[in-house]
Amino acid sequence: MAVAEPYAASGLAPSRGGKARAALRQYFQGTSVSSWIAFGALGLMFLIAIFAKLIAPHDPLVPVGTPLTGPSVSNWFGTDTVGRDVFSRVVVGMSTSWWGALAVVAWGVIFGGLIGLIAGAWGGIVDSVLMRVTDVFLALPGPILAVAVVAAMGPSYFHTLVGISIVWWPLYTRIVRAEIRKLRASPHMEAARLAGAGWWRQLSRHLLPGAVPVTIITASLDISALVLMLSSLSFLGLGAPQPAPELGAMAAQGMTNIFTSWWIPIFPAAAVSAIAIVSNFAGEALRDRIRDR
């Protein structure tokens, strides 16, 4: 109280907003320049994903000019084989890939993390049964299952996401379960049990928060892998039917004109690479920050 009293007496007690800013400043203190660049690029990707339709100067589905026109002031990335603006299609395609990857990761974290939490916290027969089921899904190859789902349900970007999501959650189950089991054997958990903490308090105050950092690290590094997988499947024709603006499909369609109209496949492929690189570097920077704490 001796420290807080002068502030209270002078009416200069820090506000909640000031405390939050101070906490953020302290948390990111010592962050390298490369990490800040990665976080800034990640923020830019989020802005593009959110405001893609506002950023795109033209409707990505409607022809706006002469087909196979090279990059110009009016069409920054040129036009495709039917005269659609490639820049507008790339921007909207980046948004589609970004939100698709985030959706699969969110499903993995929520569903897979919940299964891992239950298995690690309960143990015994519950743990054994859940882990055997998880092993079955781990054995399924994601791309092949996505092909099977699309073949059964029809070509659709949503169906591709469903196929990948079916096999993506077991990774998070394994990670969360291992972290929970490690935390259960730690000295501070033994102290919590001796202090009379109930099962729910142990789970909500000690086990679950302890598993959050490693889950965030895994999820952040998964984005780039998912973007590449979704684009690869779209490249093979497993995404939404034409003329939907998907980066992999756009690159595949432009391969026949790569020597005469290079901008049609190159710019979508460059966008996929940019998303993957930014996501990977931002994930590594976030991992370093969390581990340093």
Side-chain angles (χ1 to χ4, degrees):
M1 288 299 296
V3 176
E5 283 172 359
Y7 287 99
S10 58
L12 298 176
S15 64
R16 290 185 179 180
K19 291 180 180 179
R21 286 192 294 271
L24 286 173
R25 193 181 305 114
Q26 181 180 4
Y27 184 84
F28 286 104
Q29 187 176 6
T31 302
S32 64
V33 175
S34 60
S35 296
W36 279 117
I37 293 174
F39 290 140
L42 183 66
L44 179 61
M45 288 292 180
F46 266 109
L47 291 176
I48 292 175
I50 295 171
F51 301 107
K53 293 186 178 180
L54 297 177
I55 296 173
H58 303 285
D59 189 327
L61 305 178
V62 178
V64 296
T66 305
L68 302 179
T69 301
S72 62
V73 176
S74 58
N75 302 106
W76 294 351
F77 290 177
T79 59
D80 63 8
T81 54
V82 296
R84 293 175 300 223
D85 183 54
V86 175
F87 176 76
S88 300
R89 291 176 62 78
V90 166
V91 170
V92 176
M94 290 177 68
S95 176
T96 302
S97 297
W98 186 258
W99 292 124
L102 287 181
V104 176
V105 167
W107 165 256
V109 170
I110 295 172
F111 183 75
L114 178 61
I115 299 298
L117 180 65
I118 294 173
W122 260 271
I125 186 65
V126 174
D127 182 27
S128 299
V129 171
L130 291 177
M131 286 303 100
R132 297 299 75 77
V133 174
T134 301
D135 290 340
V136 170
F137 282 92
L138 277 173
L140 298 174
I144 295 178
L145 183 61
V147 171
V149 170
V150 172
M153 303 176 66
S156 168
Y157 192 67
F158 175 75
H159 295 162
T160 303
L161 293 179
V162 170
I164 296 176
S165 299
I166 290 174
V167 295
W168 210 264
W169 63 266
L171 171 66
Y172 293 93
T173 297
R174 282 289 185 182
I175 290 173
V176 172
R177 172 185 176 269
E179 195 68 17
I180 293 297
R181 287 173 64 87
K182 182 176 71 174
L183 290 170
R184 285 180 62 191
S186 62
H188 82 273
M189 282 302 301
E190 183 64 27
R193 284 190 288 269
L194 292 175
W199 178 86
W200 176 251
R201 184 175 179 82
Q202 294 178 37
L203 186 67
S204 60
R205 296 294 298 274
H206 301 283
L207 295 178
L208 184 58
V212 167
V214 68
T215 305
I216 292 176
I217 292 171
T218 304
S220 62
L221 294 173
D222 260 358
I223 297 293
S224 59
L226 278 166
V227 168
L228 291 174
M229 180 178 289
L230 290 171
S231 299
S232 300
L233 293 173
S234 178
F235 185 89
L236 297 175
L238 299 178
Q242 283 298 310
E246 292 184 12
L247 297 178
M250 291 164 60
Q253 294 151 18
M255 291 302 295
T256 56
N257 302 306
I258 189 170
F259 294 111
T260 57
S261 304
W262 56 267
W263 56 88
I264 300 177
I266 292 299
F267 284 124
V272 172
S273 300
I275 296 175
I277 291 172
V278 168
S279 301
N280 194 53
F281 276 109
E284 291 182 355
L286 184 61
R287 177 192 60 191
D288 294 339
R289 290 305 307 157
I290 291 177
R291 288 182 175 176
D292 289 344
R293 305 305 295 179

